[in-house]
Amino acid sequence: MQLGSSPSSSSFSCFSWSSCLFKHTDFLSLSLSLSLSLSLSLYIYIYIYIYVYIYIYIFLACSYICRKVYALDVVGRIPAELQNLTYLTNLHLAQNYLTGPFPAFIGNLTGLQYLSVGTNALSGGIPKELGKLTNLLSLSIATNNFSGPLPLELGNLTKLQQLYVSSCGASGEFPSTISGLKNLKTLWLINNNFTGKIPDFSRTNITSLRMQGNSFEGPIPSGLSRMTNMVDLRISDIQKGSSSLAFISNLTSLSTLILRNCKISDIIPSNFSQYTSLQKLDLSFNNLMGQLPQSLFNLNLLSHLFLGNNNLSGSLPANKSVTLLNIDLSYNQLAGSFPSWASQQNLKLNLVANNFVIGSSNSSVLPSGLNCLQRDIPCNRGAPIYSSFAVKCGGNKTITASDGTLYEIDNQILTTASYYVTETNKWAVSTVGSFSDASNADYILYSSSQFTNTLESELYQTARISPSSLRYYGLGLQNGNYTVKLHFAETQILDPPTWKSNGRRIFDIYIQSIVEEKNHTSSVTPKLVPHRK
């Protein structure tokens, strides 16, 4: 599982308490000291003059001196003096290392239209006083360490258009008061622990809804079918209940549709030609049956198609659009011959774990070794030739560890839907998925860091990453009892205090399709998993 984070709302003119606030206080003191020695009429005149001067000076100071508090790695708590800025409309404190509670006095800043404290280290409960900010258009509390439910009072924000609460630590049932905000257009609530039924947002005007990585229960509400302006819909990891694809029949404006691991049992509709704006479709890890519709592969704008880990059967469609260059059909029941488009240049096509018969007549169509990665993995079956193997993930050279283990090179370029089998058919790797909103992401990471608690620091300086699934296969291993040693180290999320330390990496570990470790967090300590092949 890859943790997202929500971006903060748009950049605004920001307030820095380290300079602007102190200047403001100094001027107020000057105004008071002058007024003590003046007559009433003269005092009114000078007070008005000074007040105007204060206003102009603060405006210029905040516009040209302070600039922003965004992404400055400011460390500390949100200062109480901030509550004096009652005319503030934009407060953008994202990407710092603010700690402690989110103060309740924030509810006194009733002029706020844009508020972002995203990507900090704030903790405690989410203040119900946020419900007093009835002029808010955009609110982001994403990527923090809050606990407890979202306050019901957020339903008072009737002007709200954007709400980002991804990875903020919230839990419990999602408030029905929020699902009734009619002006809401963007709602991201990724990677929290929301429970209960999936809310019905059909009373809103949401065009972008992201609900991945929670603990919602199905089925997906049929009311979503009325949200015909939806452009971006992403739901995943539903815990209970079974759903169908019937609710998407009217959502023809979609450009991105992700329904991954949603317990959907259905066939893929044959009328996909009506989704003329669709660019990315992910229906992986469900129970889709039947054949692949030709209309889906003909969509002119579709570039990414992920249908892996279903129960699809039949053959590949005879044609596809030239724009469809990323296709994952792994872990299905597909068979038959390969169409001519399968050898298209720049095509990323993953057909691992299907029922294709690959011989001399069609072995050159796709990258070599696919025959070893069909169901039952036929290579070396019945004639095992290895008892161990080790891989330096993403590495461009072999490494011999202090215990004598030889870690082999693993530097093949694998991206959205790819696989690789070694020339000796000893081991293989398969990767699937595209990084959200990052079209040119790297799938191998490099680090020059030195790691403690290990004699092989170099072993951790490369890593292969994947936003959906990453699988390694041992081919031709002898039967017997094995210990699988997995090495992890965090190379991207930095140590505090910095906003770049505000993140978690949580994932599941499967061996032979069995969950051996759930919600694992990266650690330099090797993970030992006894297993029998």
Side-chain angles (χ1 to χ4, degrees):
M1 186 185 296
Q2 181 72 34
L3 183 70
S5 60
S6 300
S8 304
S9 52
S10 305
S11 296
F12 310 112
S13 298
C14 299
F15 185 86
S16 171
W17 56 80
S18 62
S19 49
C20 286
L21 182 58
F22 297 149
K23 287 183 172 64
H24 190 180
T25 304
D26 291 342
F27 272 108
L28 289 177
S29 300
L30 175 61
S31 165
L32 180 60
S33 63
L34 284 176
S35 68
L36 293 176
S37 61
L38 298 176
S39 65
L40 180 60
S41 60
L42 187 59
Y43 161 75
I44 294 174
Y45 174 80
I46 294 180
Y47 183 85
I48 293 174
Y49 174 81
I50 293 176
Y51 180 84
V52 173
Y53 184 73
I54 292 170
Y55 177 84
I56 295 174
Y57 188 89
I58 291 176
F59 175 80
L60 293 175
C62 286
S63 297
Y64 299 108
I65 297 175
C66 305
R67 300 302 261 177
K68 63 179 182 178
V69 191
Y70 168 73
L72 293 181
D73 270 338
V74 174
V75 178
R77 298 189 171 215
I78 297 177
E81 291 83 355
L82 196 62
Q83 64 187 307
N84 298 325
L85 305 178
T86 54
Y87 292 98
L88 201 62
T89 59
N90 304 334
L91 182 58
H92 198 23
L93 306 179
Q95 291 186 226
N96 288 290
Y97 198 76
L98 300 176
T99 57
F102 193 3
F105 68 69
I106 198 71
N108 298 332
L109 306 181
T110 54
L112 281 175
Q113 295 179 327
Y114 303 92
L115 172 60
S116 175
V117 293
T119 318
N120 278 284
L122 297 172
S123 57
I126 301 168
K128 64 181 181 180
E129 287 77 10
L130 286 171
K132 298 179 180 179
L133 305 180
T134 54
N135 288 308
L136 271 185
L137 302 176
S138 178
L139 172 62
S140 173
I141 59 173
T143 315
N144 277 284
N145 300 321
F146 295 121
S147 58
L150 291 179
L152 296 174
E153 288 78 4
L154 291 182
N156 298 332
L157 307 182
T158 56
K159 296 181 181 179
L160 197 66
Q161 298 177 11
Q162 300 173 338
L163 178 58
Y164 303 102
V165 295
S166 297
S167 303
C168 72
S171 59
E173 294 193 4
F174 190 83
S176 59
T177 54
I178 298 176
S179 58
L181 294 175
K182 294 182 179 180
N183 289 311
L184 198 59
K185 295 181 179 179
T186 301
L187 176 59
W188 293 6
L189 41 103
I190 307 166
N191 294 331
N192 288 294
N193 192 29
F194 292 122
T195 57
K197 295 293 184 179
I198 298 175
D200 185 352
F201 295 105
S202 59
R203 290 176 292 168
T204 70
N205 287 306
I206 291 178
T207 59
S208 178
L209 176 60
R210 302 187 183 186
M211 302 175 58
Q212 299 133 293
N214 287 283
S215 298
F216 284 120
E217 298 177 7
I220 299 174
S222 59
L224 289 180
S225 64
R226 297 192 292 272
M227 303 177 69
T228 55
N229 292 324
M230 186 78 72
V231 174
D232 181 355
L233 177 59
R234 310 183 189 199
I235 304 175
S236 72
D237 307 301
I238 293 178
Q239 300 299 308
K240 298 178 181 179
S242 179
S243 299
S244 73
L245 292 174
F247 77 95
I248 71 170
S249 60
N250 296 326
L251 306 184
T252 55
S253 297
L254 285 168
S255 64
T256 297
L257 176 59
I258 297 175
L259 301 172
R260 185 177 184 269
N261 191 23
C262 287
K263 300 193 182 313
I264 295 174
S265 296
D266 207 342
I267 61 173
I268 301 177
S270 59
N271 61 341
F272 252 93
S273 56
Q274 62 182 328
Y275 298 90
T276 55
S277 300
L278 195 61
Q279 300 177 32
K280 182 175 182 178
L281 177 63
D282 186 346
L283 302 176
S284 58
F285 291 88
N286 285 295
N287 186 32
L288 297 178
M289 299 166 284
Q291 299 190 355
L292 297 168
Q294 181 64 65
S295 61
L296 177 59
F297 281 68
N298 288 344
L299 292 175
N300 289 330
L301 296 183
L302 188 64
S303 60
H304 291 76
L305 176 61
F306 301 102
L307 299 175
N309 288 86
N310 280 288
N311 197 28
L312 297 168
S313 59
S315 59
L316 299 178
N319 303 294
K320 78 167 189 66
S321 69
V322 294
T323 58
L324 183 52
L325 295 176
N326 304 274
I327 306 174
D328 170 44
L329 299 172
S330 61
Y331 288 85
N332 280 287
Q333 301 291 341
L334 299 171
S337 59
F338 299 127
S340 59
W341 57 259
S343 58
Q344 180 182 344
Q345 189 175 9
N346 298 325
L347 175 66
K348 303 295 186 297
L349 176 62
N350 195 323
L351 297 174
V352 167
N354 278 284
N355 297 316
F356 292 104
V357 176
I358 301 166
S360 58
S361 61
N362 60 2
S363 60
S364 62
V365 175
L366 295 167
S368 62
L370 183 60
N371 60 307
C372 291
L373 296 178
Q374 293 304 285
R375 291 192 178 272
D376 295 331
I377 310 180
C379 286
N380 300 320
R381 179 170 291 276
I385 53 178
Y386 300 110
S387 60
S388 67
F389 74 100
V391 181
K392 185 183 185 323
C393 301
N396 56 13
K397 65 178 182 179
T398 59
I399 290 180
T400 301
S402 56
D403 62 358
T405 301
L406 178 66
Y407 290 86
E408 298 185 30
I409 294 172
D410 175 28
N411 64 346
Q412 291 292 316
I413 299 176
L414 304 177
T415 57
T416 51
S418 308
Y419 63 90
Y420 168 70
V421 180
T422 61
E423 292 183 1
T424 58
N425 293 339
K426 183 177 182 180
W427 59 269
V429 57
S430 169
T431 181
V432 169
S434 66
F435 290 96
S436 177
D437 306 319
S439 57
N440 295 316
D442 293 325
Y443 285 72
I444 294 180
L445 296 181
Y446 302 91
S447 172
S448 58
S449 299
Q450 297 297 313
F451 298 94
T452 58
N453 303 325
T454 179
L455 297 176
E456 285 81 38
S457 186
E458 187 178 5
L459 188 63
Y460 299 90
Q461 291 177 343
T462 62
R464 190 177 288 284
I465 62 174
S466 173
S468 180
S469 67
L470 176 63
R471 292 178 169 99
Y472 281 85
Y473 307 86
L475 307 176
L477 286 172
Q478 298 175 5
N479 290 329
N481 295 319
Y482 284 85
T483 296
V484 180
K485 182 183 293 187
L486 304 174
H487 299 260
F488 301 106
E490 182 54 69
T491 64
Q492 302 300 307
I493 301 176
L494 304 182
D495 293 330
T498 168
W499 69 267
K500 295 180 180 179
S501 65
N502 296 327
R504 299 173 298 161
R505 197 179 305 279
I506 302 175
F507 51 93
D508 299 336
I509 300 172
Y510 287 75
I511 299 180
Q512 300 289 82
S513 301
I514 299 173
V515 181
E516 297 288 353
E517 185 84 8
K518 193 167 183 62
N519 295 332
H520 185 76
T521 56
S522 53
S523 168
V524 76
T525 305
K527 176 68 179 177
L528 302 179
V529 184
H531 194 75
R532 177 176 177 82
K533 183 183 179 297

